[in-house]
Amino acid sequence: MSNRRHALPPSLPPRGLSRAEAAAYIGISPTTFDAMVKDGRMPPAKQIGARTVWDRLQLDRFFAELPDAVVDGRPAEADDVWGQAAV
């Protein structure tokens, strides 16, 4: 992690993420992230000097707009027995 990250308190996540960080934040590979940016399912990058970064808050908004998974006409989480387990 760069020194920029160490300048922030642990409770304050960075707002601008690199391509690899943005992909990891969403939970996908950088290659899949690139394809999603290209087809508009993920936001475009911002240019700050020589750096290309993705706004974490925009990533959240675009992620929220992605369709939910459906398996056999039901939401995919309906088959998630661990998600339904009592705690």
Side-chain angles (χ1 to χ4, degrees), residues 8-44:
L8 295 173
S11 62
L12 182 63
R15 174 90 182 252
L17 303 175
S18 70
R19 171 182 170 259
E21 290 168 334
Y25 181 71
I26 296 300
I28 57 178
S29 73
T31 303
T32 300
F33 183 76
D34 292 343
M36 293 179 77
V37 169
K38 185 175 182 176
D39 68 21
R41 290 179 290 162
M42 284 291 127

Side-chain angles (χ1 to χ4, degrees), residues 25-27 41-43 58-67:
Y25 181 71
I26 296 300
R41 290 179 290 162
M42 284 291 127
Q58 280 190 345
L59 291 170
D60 288 340
R61 285 191 293 274
F62 274 71
F63 186 83
E65 293 300 318
L66 292 174

